[in-house]
Amino acid sequence: MANYNAGDIIRLMRTATGISQEELSDGICSVQTLSRIENGKHKVKQSTYALLMARMGRDTRKNYALCAGRNMELLEERIQLEDALAKHDYKEADRFLRMLKRKIEDTKISRQYIQRMEGVIDYCLGRIDAQEYVRKMDEAIRITVPHYEKYLQIEKKEQTYPFMELEVLTLMSLANAYGDAGEPLKGAQLYDALLLGLEEGYMDIDSVRKLQMLIRRNYLRVLEQLGRYQEALESAEALLKDVIRNDYGRMLPVLLIIISWDMREICKNNKKDIKSILPDIKKMLRQAFYIAAARDDEVNLKIIQKYYYECFSEEV
């Protein structure tokens, strides 16, 4: 769960919604106190934070916690649910989601989480099509940010809306849904806005780095859907360096697969002999296989084995 700088959240929220310091602070605190809070020079009380955020129509809890449930069992079930999703075991994920729904508190945040997970699982199980997936993700983000679209048309990070971690993940799912529904440019717009906003630093650095890497990884799909394989290759290679630097090993096999795939597509599009890059592809796929095996990553092991055989007509 991400941690947030309350002063930055208040400042960015106020700026994005077009409220002046005088309007926001009226009857809650002095303008001078609000200014000091926004500049990180004054620690904001929980009661003051709640009043300021409520005036701007946002959740009033500092930590914006999901699953603020009755016991640790709820957290464990959430971990089990997300682990099943990571393994592409959607039937198991569906089972954990049903269990979670019976126990989770009824808050806007929990409703958004459930709506997002239901949409992802239903789509991956073939229960809904891409257009319905878009609709479900759109509904999910509107639970906490009803007019989110107006916060996506930003030209500089100072204008950003401080989307919380769950909201960022929900918008990422919406961007993926747009891509699968044949509207990758809408997905690109979402990714661009999220990356720009995260640069503002209202969230702890570790959470920001993880989200940025996830967004950049998903952005590669948009570039491939648009046929921009050279750009996708360069972006994937840059991301690979950042993943290694930040010790985010779970993404390494995926990026090596993507890089090898983009190399092949570039050769095809430029009508070049693919044989010249096969040694590099073989090396990358073997690296990806060993990393996935070391991490017990069954999902990517199967993908690599299938792709390797397709390329070389032999087992990896």
Side-chain angles (χ1 to χ4, degrees):
M1 184 182 73
N3 294 308
Y4 306 95
N5 185 313
D8 286 338
I9 291 288
I10 293 168
R11 172 179 53 81
L12 291 168
M13 190 77 64
R14 181 183 60 76
T15 303
T17 53
I19 301 175
S20 69
Q21 287 185 329
E22 290 77 11
E23 291 171 320
L24 180 57
S25 62
D26 185 34
I28 298 175
C29 63
S30 69
V31 175
Q32 291 79 7
T33 297
L34 176 59
S35 179
R36 289 176 61 80
I37 289 171
E38 291 185 349
N39 291 322
K41 297 178 180 179
H42 184 87
K43 187 174 181 180
V44 61
K45 296 179 181 178
Q46 176 64 49
S47 57
T48 302
Y49 180 87
L51 290 170
L52 293 171
M53 295 300 280
R55 180 161 289 175
M56 293 186 286
R58 286 292 265 166
D59 192 278
T60 59
R61 289 169 292 182
K62 278 189 181 180
N63 60 6
Y64 209 72
L66 171 72
C67 297
R70 294 174 292 278
N71 50 50
M72 289 301 293
E73 182 182 358
L74 198 62
L75 178 59
E76 291 171 2
E77 288 173 353
R78 179 189 171 191
I79 292 172
Q80 290 172 321
L81 164 60
E82 294 175 2
D83 184 57
L85 274 179
K87 294 177 179 177
H88 296 195
D89 190 345
Y90 302 115
K91 290 184 178 179
E92 186 72 354
D94 194 32
R95 184 174 72 85
F96 285 122
L97 179 60
R98 290 196 302 270
M99 295 168 59
L100 193 62
K101 286 170 66 175
R102 291 196 295 266
K103 299 178 180 180
I104 198 169
E105 291 182 355
D106 184 21
T107 66
K108 283 186 177 182
I109 304 165
S110 63
R111 288 199 298 273
Q112 184 173 78
Y113 181 81
I114 294 298
Q115 174 86 350
R116 172 176 175 257
M117 288 302 184
E118 281 184 335
V120 170
I121 292 169
D122 286 348
Y123 179 63
C124 292
L125 287 175
R127 295 170 178 167
I128 59 175
D129 61 14
Q131 293 293 343
E132 180 66 9
Y133 186 26
V134 168
R135 188 188 68 79
K136 281 184 172 291
M137 294 303 98
D138 179 76
E139 286 183 352
I141 188 61
R142 290 187 193 280
I143 291 173
T144 57
V145 192
H147 307 292
Y148 72 92
E149 306 101 312
K150 69 180 181 181
Y151 303 123
L152 301 178
Q153 301 289 344
I154 56 176
E155 298 178 354
K156 52 186 180 179
K157 63 182 181 180
E158 291 80 6
Q159 298 173 328
T160 191
Y161 186 88
F163 291 109
M164 305 300 184
E165 182 181 33
L166 176 56
E167 292 165 347
V168 171
L169 293 172
T170 303
L171 287 167
M172 284 174 56
S173 294
L174 177 57
N176 292 340
Y178 274 131
D180 290 349
E183 299 182 275
L185 287 176
K186 286 188 176 181
Q189 180 193 28
L190 283 170
Y191 291 138
D192 286 335
L194 291 174
L195 287 171
L196 189 62
L198 287 171
E199 291 178 8
E200 187 62 10
Y202 61 89
M203 196 183 299
D204 70 274
I205 189 62
D206 288 339
S207 296
V208 167
R209 284 174 179 164
K210 181 179 178 181
L211 289 172
Q212 285 174 330
M213 287 188 288
L214 288 173
I215 293 168
R216 289 167 63 192
R217 182 261 173 273
N218 282 305
Y219 211 140
L220 299 175
R221 287 188 66 208
V222 170
L223 295 174
E224 291 171 345
Q225 288 164 342
L226 293 170
R228 292 155 55 179
Y229 294 106
Q230 184 62 45
E231 188 177 347
L233 175 61
E234 293 170 1
S235 298
E237 290 174 336
L239 178 55
L240 181 64
K241 293 178 182 178
D242 288 342
V243 164
I244 293 172
R245 188 180 304 116
N246 289 286
D247 196 25
Y248 196 48
R250 64 180 297 181
M251 201 179 284
L252 286 172
V254 176
L255 288 175
L256 290 168
I257 295 169
I258 290 172
I259 290 170
S260 65
W261 173 267
D262 290 337
M263 289 172 63
R264 288 184 68 191
E265 293 302 310
I266 290 168
C267 277
K268 290 179 185 177
N269 291 343
N270 294 331
K271 298 181 180 180
K272 293 182 178 179
D273 187 1
I274 198 172
K275 291 181 181 178
S276 62
I277 62 170
L278 285 179
D280 290 334
I281 289 177
K282 177 174 282 192
K283 180 180 179 181
M284 276 188 283
L285 291 180
R286 283 180 171 173
Q287 288 177 330
F289 181 85
Y290 297 142
I291 295 169
R295 297 181 61 85
D296 293 323
D297 185 350
E298 294 294 332
V299 172
N300 281 311
L301 279 173
K302 291 178 182 178
I303 293 172
I304 295 164
Q305 288 170 327
K306 181 179 179 180
Y307 184 29
Y308 191 91
Y309 191 83
E310 176 188 323
C311 291
F312 306 106
S313 300
E314 63 185 44
E315 301 294 332
V316 61

